Amino acid sequence: MNYREALDTLKRHGYKYTGKRESMVQLFNRKDRYLTAKEVLEEMQKEYPGLSVDTVYRNLSLFEELGIVEGTEWEGERRYRFHCGGDHHHHHLICTECGRTKQLNLCPMNAILGEPEGFEITGHKFEIYGTCSHCQEQTEAKGGS
Amino acid sequence: MNYREALDTLKRHGYKYTGKRESMVQLFNRKDRYLTAKEVLEEMQKEYPGLSVDTVYRNLSLFEELGIVEGTEWEGERRYRFHCGGDHHHHHLICTECGRTKQLNLCPMNAILGEPEGFEITGHKFEIYGTCSHCQEQTEAKGGS
DNA sequence: GTGTAAAACGTAATTTTTACGATTTACAAC
DNA sequence: GTTGTAAATCGTAAAAATTACGTTTTACAC
């Protein structure tokens, strides 16, 4: 997903092209990582001071529905990032400090064929959590002697 | 994990053996599936009408820390189930309707060796969501012609 | 330019989780 | 068995995340 694709997706589905939606798309394009609703709100309020939380949550849901962003949750909060990788299915290494990700070209579901009996699969989640090199450096710098 | 093991774990770590903790252990032992804090609260309030939410959350955290229960989250809520499988690492098929699980003897982390560069792994999550046979029947019964 | 449905505002309600001073209780020592 | 004490629980409130909704504003088709 890129900037133009995202706005095209909105148009194609008949949604209006507002400054706030453009701003949100730009935000996700700029920050290439998972963001919480709160982070999105705060970032966007720099440009739109009186921005309503309703607008953020509503558009986050819409964007996820349209595949503009992909959502997940960890540590009790829902998080979103620009939908990467086009159509090819993948998973992520996720830095729990900053939300940055690395793509994983491996899906464990390939090994599941025929496994479950009497269980209708509707989805799956495979995520590896940790600390990215960037955040490791930051921690070392702080804690260093 | 079983009933006696759970109480032994509490004793061994010097925690007090209260009626409420026993009741919670029994609850998880009885319901062999993921429960939300709210469900735990409501079930336990049948036996202890004035039960405080503080007690539930505090003990859920403690139980998870001691390995008596294992926690996860989906659909915006934290959930807990009796810790199964002793020491051998495993994952679950999870019914998102009722929280019942099936054990999966497969861990995708085996395929990751050497994969991530400059990324310190601290945890991972692999869960398959769906509808168990029990809940499929219920839906069919309701929606059936 | 106008009309209209969609979007956003402003604010409050809901829901989940955490916090904390006061009270009660488990349990060890006597 | 009684007693002392730290831990556990209560009762309630605060905090945090999310959802809801009537009103106002705005994008955009005509």
Short mmCIF file of all heavy atoms in Angstrom, two decimals, chain A residues 61-120:
data_model
loop_
_atom_site.label_atom_id
_atom_site.label_comp_id
_atom_site.label_asym_id
_atom_site.label_seq_id
_atom_site.Cartn_x
_atom_site.Cartn_y
_atom_site.Cartn_z
N SER A 61 -11.08 2.24 11.82
CA SER A 61 -11.90 1.07 11.50
C SER A 61 -12.14 0.98 10.00
O SER A 61 -12.03 -0.08 9.39
CB SER A 61 -13.25 1.15 12.21
OG SER A 61 -13.06 1.11 13.59
N LEU A 62 -12.48 2.14 9.42
CA LEU A 62 -12.74 2.17 7.98
C LEU A 62 -11.51 1.75 7.19
O LEU A 62 -11.58 0.91 6.29
CB LEU A 62 -13.16 3.58 7.57
CG LEU A 62 -13.37 3.80 6.06
CD1 LEU A 62 -14.53 2.96 5.55
CD2 LEU A 62 -13.60 5.28 5.75
N PHE A 63 -10.38 2.31 7.56
CA PHE A 63 -9.12 2.01 6.86
C PHE A 63 -8.78 0.52 6.96
O PHE A 63 -8.28 -0.07 6.01
CB PHE A 63 -7.97 2.85 7.43
CG PHE A 63 -7.96 4.26 6.93
CD1 PHE A 63 -9.07 4.83 6.31
CD2 PHE A 63 -6.81 5.05 7.06
CE1 PHE A 63 -9.06 6.14 5.85
CE2 PHE A 63 -6.79 6.37 6.60
CZ PHE A 63 -7.91 6.91 6.00
N GLU A 64 -9.04 -0.06 8.12
CA GLU A 64 -8.75 -1.48 8.27
C GLU A 64 -9.68 -2.30 7.39
O GLU A 64 -9.25 -3.23 6.70
CB GLU A 64 -8.92 -1.90 9.74
CG GLU A 64 -8.48 -3.34 9.97
CD GLU A 64 -8.55 -3.76 11.42
OE1 GLU A 64 -9.27 -3.11 12.20
OE2 GLU A 64 -7.88 -4.75 11.78
N GLU A 65 -10.94 -1.91 7.38
CA GLU A 65 -11.94 -2.60 6.57
C GLU A 65 -11.57 -2.57 5.09
O GLU A 65 -11.76 -3.55 4.37
CB GLU A 65 -13.29 -1.90 6.81
CG GLU A 65 -14.50 -2.65 6.32
CD GLU A 65 -15.75 -1.77 6.51
OE1 GLU A 65 -15.94 -1.25 7.63
OE2 GLU A 65 -16.49 -1.58 5.53
N LEU A 66 -11.03 -1.43 4.66
CA LEU A 66 -10.67 -1.26 3.25
C LEU A 66 -9.29 -1.82 2.93
O LEU A 66 -8.85 -1.79 1.78
CB LEU A 66 -10.72 0.23 2.88
CG LEU A 66 -12.08 0.92 2.95
CD1 LEU A 66 -11.96 2.38 2.57
CD2 LEU A 66 -13.09 0.23 2.04
N GLY A 67 -8.59 -2.28 3.95
CA GLY A 67 -7.26 -2.83 3.70
C GLY A 67 -6.18 -1.78 3.53
O GLY A 67 -5.09 -2.07 3.06
N ILE A 68 -6.48 -0.56 3.91
CA ILE A 68 -5.47 0.50 3.83
C ILE A 68 -4.46 0.33 4.96
O ILE A 68 -3.27 0.50 4.78
CB ILE A 68 -6.13 1.90 3.88
CG1 ILE A 68 -6.98 2.11 2.64
CG2 ILE A 68 -5.07 2.99 4.02
CD1 ILE A 68 -7.83 3.37 2.66
N VAL A 69 -4.96 -0.01 6.13
CA VAL A 69 -4.08 -0.35 7.24
C VAL A 69 -4.38 -1.78 7.70
O VAL A 69 -5.44 -2.33 7.38
CB VAL A 69 -4.24 0.61 8.44
CG1 VAL A 69 -3.95 2.04 8.04
CG2 VAL A 69 -5.62 0.50 9.05
N GLU A 70 -3.43 -2.37 8.42
CA GLU A 70 -3.70 -3.66 9.06
C GLU A 70 -3.59 -3.47 10.56
O GLU A 70 -2.73 -2.75 11.04
CB GLU A 70 -2.76 -4.75 8.56
CG GLU A 70 -1.30 -4.37 8.50
CD GLU A 70 -0.45 -5.44 7.79
OE1 GLU A 70 -0.64 -6.62 8.05
OE2 GLU A 70 0.42 -5.05 6.98
N GLY A 71 -4.50 -4.10 11.28
CA GLY A 71 -4.54 -3.91 12.72
C GLY A 71 -4.15 -5.17 13.46
O GLY A 71 -4.28 -6.27 12.96
N THR A 72 -3.68 -4.97 14.69
CA THR A 72 -3.45 -6.09 15.59
C THR A 72 -3.54 -5.53 17.01
O THR A 72 -3.87 -4.36 17.18
CB THR A 72 -2.08 -6.75 15.36
OG1 THR A 72 -1.98 -7.92 16.17
CG2 THR A 72 -0.94 -5.80 15.71
N GLU A 73 -3.29 -6.35 17.99
CA GLU A 73 -3.32 -5.83 19.35
C GLU A 73 -2.29 -6.55 20.19
O GLU A 73 -2.06 -7.75 20.02
CB GLU A 73 -4.71 -5.99 19.97
CG GLU A 73 -5.19 -7.41 20.10
CD GLU A 73 -6.63 -7.51 20.61
OE1 GLU A 73 -6.91 -6.97 21.69
OE2 GLU A 73 -7.45 -8.12 19.93
N TRP A 74 -1.64 -5.79 21.06
CA TRP A 74 -0.79 -6.40 22.07
C TRP A 74 -0.65 -5.43 23.22
O TRP A 74 -0.84 -4.23 23.05
CB TRP A 74 0.58 -6.83 21.51
CG TRP A 74 1.58 -5.76 21.26
CD1 TRP A 74 2.43 -5.22 22.18
CD2 TRP A 74 1.86 -5.12 20.02
NE1 TRP A 74 3.21 -4.27 21.56
CE2 TRP A 74 2.89 -4.20 20.24
CE3 TRP A 74 1.35 -5.24 18.72
CZ2 TRP A 74 3.40 -3.39 19.23
CZ3 TRP A 74 1.86 -4.44 17.72
CH2 TRP A 74 2.88 -3.53 17.99
N GLU A 75 -0.38 -5.98 24.39
CA GLU A 75 -0.32 -5.19 25.61
C GLU A 75 -1.60 -4.37 25.82
O GLU A 75 -1.53 -3.20 26.19
CB GLU A 75 0.92 -4.29 25.61
CG GLU A 75 2.21 -5.09 25.81
CD GLU A 75 3.47 -4.27 25.62
OE1 GLU A 75 3.37 -3.05 25.46
OE2 GLU A 75 4.56 -4.86 25.62
N GLY A 76 -2.71 -5.00 25.55
CA GLY A 76 -3.99 -4.39 25.86
C GLY A 76 -4.45 -3.26 24.96
O GLY A 76 -5.43 -2.59 25.27
N GLU A 77 -3.73 -3.06 23.86
CA GLU A 77 -4.15 -1.98 22.98
C GLU A 77 -4.19 -2.40 21.53
O GLU A 77 -3.34 -3.14 21.05
CB GLU A 77 -3.20 -0.78 23.13
CG GLU A 77 -3.71 0.30 24.04
CD GLU A 77 -2.70 1.41 24.18
OE1 GLU A 77 -1.64 1.17 24.79
OE2 GLU A 77 -2.96 2.50 23.68
N ARG A 78 -5.15 -1.86 20.83
CA ARG A 78 -5.29 -2.10 19.41
C ARG A 78 -4.29 -1.20 18.68
O ARG A 78 -4.12 -0.04 19.04
CB ARG A 78 -6.73 -1.77 19.02
CG ARG A 78 -7.08 -2.13 17.63
CD ARG A 78 -8.38 -2.90 17.48
NE ARG A 78 -8.34 -3.52 16.16
CZ ARG A 78 -7.79 -4.70 15.92
NH1 ARG A 78 -7.32 -5.41 16.92
NH2 ARG A 78 -7.73 -5.17 14.70
N ARG A 79 -3.63 -1.71 17.65
CA ARG A 79 -2.62 -0.95 16.92
C ARG A 79 -2.77 -1.14 15.42
O ARG A 79 -3.24 -2.17 14.96
CB ARG A 79 -1.22 -1.41 17.33
CG ARG A 79 -0.88 -1.07 18.78
CD ARG A 79 0.06 -2.08 19.37
NE ARG A 79 0.03 -2.09 20.82
CZ ARG A 79 0.83 -1.37 21.59
NH1 ARG A 79 1.74 -0.62 21.05
NH2 ARG A 79 0.72 -1.43 22.89
N TYR A 80 -2.35 -0.12 14.69
CA TYR A 80 -2.51 -0.15 13.24
C TYR A 80 -1.23 0.28 12.53
O TYR A 80 -0.50 1.12 13.02
CB TYR A 80 -3.63 0.81 12.83
CG TYR A 80 -4.96 0.50 13.46
CD1 TYR A 80 -5.30 1.04 14.70
CD2 TYR A 80 -5.88 -0.34 12.83
CE1 TYR A 80 -6.52 0.76 15.28
CE2 TYR A 80 -7.10 -0.63 13.41
CZ TYR A 80 -7.42 -0.07 14.64
OH TYR A 80 -8.61 -0.35 15.23
N ARG A 81 -1.01 -0.28 11.37
CA ARG A 81 0.09 0.15 10.52
C ARG A 81 -0.36 0.12 9.06
O ARG A 81 -1.33 -0.54 8.71
CB ARG A 81 1.33 -0.73 10.70
CG ARG A 81 1.15 -2.20 10.32
CD ARG A 81 2.51 -2.80 10.00
NE ARG A 81 3.04 -2.14 8.83
CZ ARG A 81 4.32 -1.85 8.61
NH1 ARG A 81 5.22 -2.17 9.50
NH2 ARG A 81 4.68 -1.24 7.51
N PHE A 82 0.36 0.85 8.23
CA PHE A 82 0.09 0.86 6.80
C PHE A 82 0.12 -0.57 6.31
O PHE A 82 1.03 -1.34 6.66
CB PHE A 82 1.17 1.68 6.10
CG PHE A 82 0.63 2.56 5.01
CD1 PHE A 82 -0.57 3.22 5.15
CD2 PHE A 82 1.35 2.74 3.83
CE1 PHE A 82 -1.06 4.04 4.16
CE2 PHE A 82 0.87 3.55 2.83
CZ PHE A 82 -0.33 4.20 2.99
N HIS A 83 -0.83 -0.95 5.52
CA HIS A 83 -0.88 -2.30 5.02
C HIS A 83 0.26 -2.51 4.03
O HIS A 83 0.31 -1.88 2.99
CB HIS A 83 -2.22 -2.56 4.33
CG HIS A 83 -2.51 -4.01 4.13
ND1 HIS A 83 -1.79 -4.80 3.26
CD2 HIS A 83 -3.42 -4.82 4.69
CE1 HIS A 83 -2.28 -6.03 3.30
NE2 HIS A 83 -3.26 -6.05 4.17
N CYS A 84 1.15 -3.42 4.39
CA CYS A 84 2.32 -3.63 3.54
C CYS A 84 2.18 -4.92 2.76
O CYS A 84 1.35 -5.75 3.02
CB CYS A 84 3.59 -3.64 4.39
SG CYS A 84 3.59 -4.84 5.70
N GLY A 85 3.02 -5.02 1.75
CA GLY A 85 3.13 -6.30 1.05
C GLY A 85 2.06 -6.58 0.02
O GLY A 85 1.98 -7.69 -0.49
N GLY A 86 1.24 -5.59 -0.31
CA GLY A 86 0.23 -5.81 -1.35
C GLY A 86 -0.65 -6.99 -1.01
O GLY A 86 -1.31 -7.00 0.03
N ASP A 87 -0.68 -7.98 -1.86
CA ASP A 87 -1.60 -9.10 -1.65
C ASP A 87 -0.93 -10.33 -1.05
O ASP A 87 -1.60 -11.25 -0.64
CB ASP A 87 -2.30 -9.46 -2.97
CG ASP A 87 -1.35 -9.37 -4.15
OD1 ASP A 87 -0.26 -8.80 -3.98
OD2 ASP A 87 -1.71 -9.86 -5.24
N HIS A 88 0.38 -10.36 -1.04
CA HIS A 88 1.01 -11.60 -0.57
C HIS A 88 1.02 -11.67 0.95
O HIS A 88 1.49 -10.78 1.65
CB HIS A 88 2.40 -11.78 -1.21
CG HIS A 88 3.56 -11.53 -0.30
ND1 HIS A 88 4.10 -10.28 -0.13
CD2 HIS A 88 4.26 -12.37 0.49
CE1 HIS A 88 5.09 -10.36 0.71
NE2 HIS A 88 5.22 -11.60 1.12
N HIS A 89 0.44 -12.75 1.45
CA HIS A 89 0.26 -12.98 2.88
C HIS A 89 1.60 -13.11 3.60
O HIS A 89 2.52 -13.75 3.12
CB HIS A 89 -0.56 -14.27 3.05
CG HIS A 89 -0.79 -14.65 4.46
ND1 HIS A 89 -1.64 -13.95 5.28
CD2 HIS A 89 -0.28 -15.65 5.22
CE1 HIS A 89 -1.66 -14.53 6.47
NE2 HIS A 89 -0.83 -15.56 6.45
N HIS A 90 1.68 -12.47 4.77
CA HIS A 90 2.95 -12.53 5.51
C HIS A 90 2.72 -12.25 7.00
O HIS A 90 1.63 -11.89 7.40
CB HIS A 90 3.92 -11.51 4.94
CG HIS A 90 3.44 -10.10 5.12
ND1 HIS A 90 2.59 -9.49 4.23
CD2 HIS A 90 3.65 -9.21 6.11
CE1 HIS A 90 2.32 -8.27 4.66
NE2 HIS A 90 2.94 -8.08 5.80
N HIS A 91 3.78 -12.40 7.76
CA HIS A 91 3.71 -12.08 9.18
C HIS A 91 4.85 -11.15 9.57
O HIS A 91 5.63 -10.77 8.71
CB HIS A 91 3.74 -13.38 9.99
CG HIS A 91 2.55 -14.25 9.74
ND1 HIS A 91 1.33 -14.03 10.33
CD2 HIS A 91 2.37 -15.31 8.92
CE1 HIS A 91 0.47 -14.92 9.91
NE2 HIS A 91 1.07 -15.71 9.05
N HIS A 92 4.89 -10.80 10.85
CA HIS A 92 5.84 -9.78 11.27
C HIS A 92 6.66 -10.14 12.51
O HIS A 92 6.18 -10.80 13.41
CB HIS A 92 5.10 -8.47 11.60
CG HIS A 92 4.68 -7.70 10.41
ND1 HIS A 92 3.41 -7.17 10.27
CD2 HIS A 92 5.34 -7.34 9.28
CE1 HIS A 92 3.32 -6.52 9.13
NE2 HIS A 92 4.48 -6.61 8.50
N LEU A 93 7.87 -9.65 12.51
CA LEU A 93 8.62 -9.46 13.74
C LEU A 93 8.22 -8.07 14.20
O LEU A 93 8.29 -7.12 13.42
CB LEU A 93 10.13 -9.47 13.47
CG LEU A 93 10.78 -10.78 13.01
CD1 LEU A 93 12.07 -10.48 12.27
CD2 LEU A 93 11.07 -11.65 14.23
N ILE A 94 7.81 -7.91 15.44
CA ILE A 94 7.33 -6.62 15.92
C ILE A 94 8.14 -6.15 17.11
O ILE A 94 8.30 -6.88 18.10
CB ILE A 94 5.85 -6.71 16.34
CG1 ILE A 94 4.99 -7.14 15.15
CG2 ILE A 94 5.37 -5.38 16.89
CD1 ILE A 94 3.53 -7.38 15.49
N CYS A 95 8.64 -4.94 17.03
CA CYS A 95 9.33 -4.35 18.17
C CYS A 95 8.28 -3.78 19.12
O CYS A 95 7.52 -2.87 18.75
CB CYS A 95 10.29 -3.24 17.73
SG CYS A 95 11.09 -2.43 19.15
N THR A 96 8.24 -4.32 20.32
CA THR A 96 7.20 -3.90 21.27
C THR A 96 7.53 -2.55 21.91
O THR A 96 6.72 -2.00 22.64
CB THR A 96 7.02 -4.95 22.38
OG1 THR A 96 8.29 -5.28 22.92
CG2 THR A 96 6.36 -6.19 21.84
N GLU A 97 8.72 -2.04 21.63
CA GLU A 97 9.09 -0.71 22.14
C GLU A 97 8.51 0.38 21.25
O GLU A 97 7.89 1.32 21.72
CB GLU A 97 10.62 -0.55 22.17
CG GLU A 97 11.36 -1.57 23.03
CD GLU A 97 11.24 -1.28 24.51
OE1 GLU A 97 11.22 -0.10 24.88
OE2 GLU A 97 11.17 -2.25 25.30
N CYS A 98 8.76 0.24 19.95
CA CYS A 98 8.45 1.34 19.04
C CYS A 98 7.43 0.96 17.96
O CYS A 98 6.95 1.83 17.24
CB CYS A 98 9.72 1.84 18.37
SG CYS A 98 10.44 0.65 17.20
N GLY A 99 7.13 -0.31 17.84
CA GLY A 99 6.14 -0.71 16.84
C GLY A 99 6.69 -0.96 15.45
O GLY A 99 5.95 -1.28 14.53
N ARG A 100 8.00 -0.80 15.28
CA ARG A 100 8.60 -1.09 13.98
C ARG A 100 8.50 -2.58 13.69
O ARG A 100 8.43 -3.41 14.60
CB ARG A 100 10.09 -0.70 13.97
CG ARG A 100 10.33 0.78 13.77
CD ARG A 100 11.80 1.04 13.46
NE ARG A 100 12.10 2.47 13.50
CZ ARG A 100 12.39 3.16 14.60
NH1 ARG A 100 12.39 2.55 15.77
NH2 ARG A 100 12.65 4.45 14.54
N THR A 101 8.48 -2.92 12.42
CA THR A 101 8.31 -4.33 12.06
C THR A 101 9.33 -4.78 11.02
O THR A 101 9.90 -3.97 10.31
CB THR A 101 6.91 -4.57 11.46
OG1 THR A 101 6.78 -3.79 10.28
CG2 THR A 101 5.82 -4.21 12.44
N LYS A 102 9.52 -6.09 10.99
CA LYS A 102 10.25 -6.72 9.89
C LYS A 102 9.34 -7.78 9.32
O LYS A 102 8.69 -8.51 10.07
CB LYS A 102 11.53 -7.39 10.41
CG LYS A 102 12.61 -6.40 10.81
CD LYS A 102 13.95 -7.13 11.00
CE LYS A 102 15.02 -6.14 11.41
NZ LYS A 102 16.38 -6.61 11.08
N GLN A 103 9.30 -7.85 8.02
CA GLN A 103 8.42 -8.81 7.39
C GLN A 103 9.01 -10.21 7.48
O GLN A 103 10.22 -10.39 7.41
CB GLN A 103 8.22 -8.42 5.92
CG GLN A 103 6.82 -8.67 5.45
CD GLN A 103 6.52 -7.92 4.15
OE1 GLN A 103 6.65 -6.71 4.06
NE2 GLN A 103 6.13 -8.66 3.14
N LEU A 104 8.13 -11.17 7.66
CA LEU A 104 8.53 -12.58 7.75
C LEU A 104 7.91 -13.32 6.58
O LEU A 104 6.69 -13.35 6.45
CB LEU A 104 7.99 -13.18 9.04
CG LEU A 104 8.93 -13.50 10.17
CD1 LEU A 104 8.15 -14.19 11.27
CD2 LEU A 104 10.10 -14.34 9.72
N ASN A 105 8.74 -13.93 5.76
CA ASN A 105 8.17 -14.65 4.62
C ASN A 105 7.99 -16.11 4.94
O ASN A 105 8.63 -16.99 4.38
CB ASN A 105 9.08 -14.47 3.41
CG ASN A 105 9.09 -13.02 2.95
OD1 ASN A 105 8.04 -12.40 2.84
ND2 ASN A 105 10.27 -12.47 2.74
N LEU A 106 7.07 -16.33 5.85
CA LEU A 106 6.86 -17.68 6.36
C LEU A 106 5.50 -17.67 7.03
O LEU A 106 5.19 -16.78 7.82
CB LEU A 106 7.96 -17.97 7.40
CG LEU A 106 7.67 -18.98 8.52
CD1 LEU A 106 7.67 -20.38 7.96
CD2 LEU A 106 8.69 -18.82 9.62
N CYS A 107 4.68 -18.63 6.67
CA CYS A 107 3.37 -18.74 7.34
C CYS A 107 3.17 -20.15 7.85
O CYS A 107 3.13 -21.09 7.08
CB CYS A 107 2.24 -18.34 6.40
SG CYS A 107 0.64 -18.55 7.20
N PRO A 108 3.04 -20.28 9.17
CA PRO A 108 2.91 -21.61 9.78
C PRO A 108 1.64 -22.34 9.39
O PRO A 108 1.53 -23.55 9.62
CB PRO A 108 2.94 -21.31 11.28
CG PRO A 108 2.55 -19.89 11.39
CD PRO A 108 3.00 -19.21 10.15
N MET A 109 0.69 -21.63 8.79
CA MET A 109 -0.57 -22.28 8.43
C MET A 109 -0.37 -23.33 7.34
O MET A 109 -1.20 -24.22 7.18
CB MET A 109 -1.59 -21.23 8.00
CG MET A 109 -2.06 -20.34 9.12
SD MET A 109 -2.71 -21.26 10.52
CE MET A 109 -4.33 -21.72 9.90
N ASN A 110 0.72 -23.20 6.61
CA ASN A 110 1.00 -24.20 5.57
C ASN A 110 1.16 -25.60 6.16
O ASN A 110 0.92 -26.59 5.48
CB ASN A 110 2.29 -23.82 4.83
CG ASN A 110 2.14 -22.50 4.09
OD1 ASN A 110 1.04 -22.15 3.69
ND2 ASN A 110 3.23 -21.77 3.96
N ALA A 111 1.56 -25.66 7.40
CA ALA A 111 1.80 -26.95 8.05
C ALA A 111 0.56 -27.50 8.72
O ALA A 111 0.60 -28.57 9.31
CB ALA A 111 2.93 -26.80 9.07
N ILE A 112 -0.54 -26.81 8.63
CA ILE A 112 -1.74 -27.17 9.38
C ILE A 112 -2.70 -28.06 8.60
O ILE A 112 -3.56 -28.72 9.15
CB ILE A 112 -2.50 -25.90 9.83
CG1 ILE A 112 -1.59 -25.00 10.67
CG2 ILE A 112 -3.74 -26.23 10.63
CD1 ILE A 112 -1.14 -25.63 11.95
N LEU A 113 -2.54 -28.09 7.28
CA LEU A 113 -3.48 -28.80 6.41
C LEU A 113 -3.98 -30.11 7.00
O LEU A 113 -3.23 -30.99 7.34
CB LEU A 113 -2.80 -29.11 5.06
CG LEU A 113 -2.95 -28.07 3.93
CD1 LEU A 113 -4.36 -27.52 3.87
CD2 LEU A 113 -1.95 -26.96 4.01
N GLY A 114 -5.26 -30.19 7.11
CA GLY A 114 -5.86 -31.44 7.59
C GLY A 114 -5.79 -31.63 9.09
O GLY A 114 -6.40 -32.54 9.63
N GLU A 115 -5.09 -30.76 9.76
CA GLU A 115 -4.90 -30.93 11.21
C GLU A 115 -6.19 -30.89 12.00
O GLU A 115 -6.51 -31.84 12.70
CB GLU A 115 -3.93 -29.85 11.73
CG GLU A 115 -2.51 -30.36 11.88
CD GLU A 115 -2.22 -30.81 13.32
OE1 GLU A 115 -3.15 -31.18 14.03
OE2 GLU A 115 -1.04 -30.79 13.69
N PRO A 116 -6.94 -29.79 11.91
CA PRO A 116 -8.07 -29.69 12.84
C PRO A 116 -9.29 -30.46 12.36
O PRO A 116 -9.67 -30.39 11.20
CB PRO A 116 -8.36 -28.19 12.84
CG PRO A 116 -7.85 -27.68 11.54
CD PRO A 116 -6.88 -28.65 10.99
N GLU A 117 -9.88 -31.18 13.28
CA GLU A 117 -11.07 -31.95 12.96
C GLU A 117 -12.26 -31.28 13.63
O GLU A 117 -12.21 -31.01 14.83
CB GLU A 117 -10.91 -33.36 13.52
CG GLU A 117 -11.17 -34.47 12.51
CD GLU A 117 -10.76 -35.81 13.11
OE1 GLU A 117 -9.53 -36.07 13.18
OE2 GLU A 117 -11.65 -36.56 13.53
N GLY A 118 -13.29 -31.01 12.90
CA GLY A 118 -14.47 -30.40 13.50
C GLY A 118 -14.19 -29.01 14.03
O GLY A 118 -14.75 -28.57 15.03
N PHE A 119 -13.28 -28.29 13.38
CA PHE A 119 -12.96 -26.94 13.82
C PHE A 119 -12.85 -26.08 12.57
O PHE A 119 -12.01 -26.34 11.70
CB PHE A 119 -11.64 -26.94 14.59
CG PHE A 119 -11.31 -25.62 15.25
CD1 PHE A 119 -11.67 -25.37 16.58
CD2 PHE A 119 -10.65 -24.63 14.54
CE1 PHE A 119 -11.36 -24.16 17.17
CE2 PHE A 119 -10.36 -23.41 15.14
CZ PHE A 119 -10.71 -23.18 16.45
N GLU A 120 -13.70 -25.08 12.48
CA GLU A 120 -13.71 -24.25 11.28
C GLU A 120 -12.83 -23.03 11.49
O GLU A 120 -13.15 -22.14 12.27
CB GLU A 120 -15.15 -23.81 10.98
CG GLU A 120 -15.31 -23.22 9.59
CD GLU A 120 -16.74 -22.74 9.37
OE1 GLU A 120 -17.67 -23.49 9.73
OE2 GLU A 120 -16.89 -21.61 8.88
#
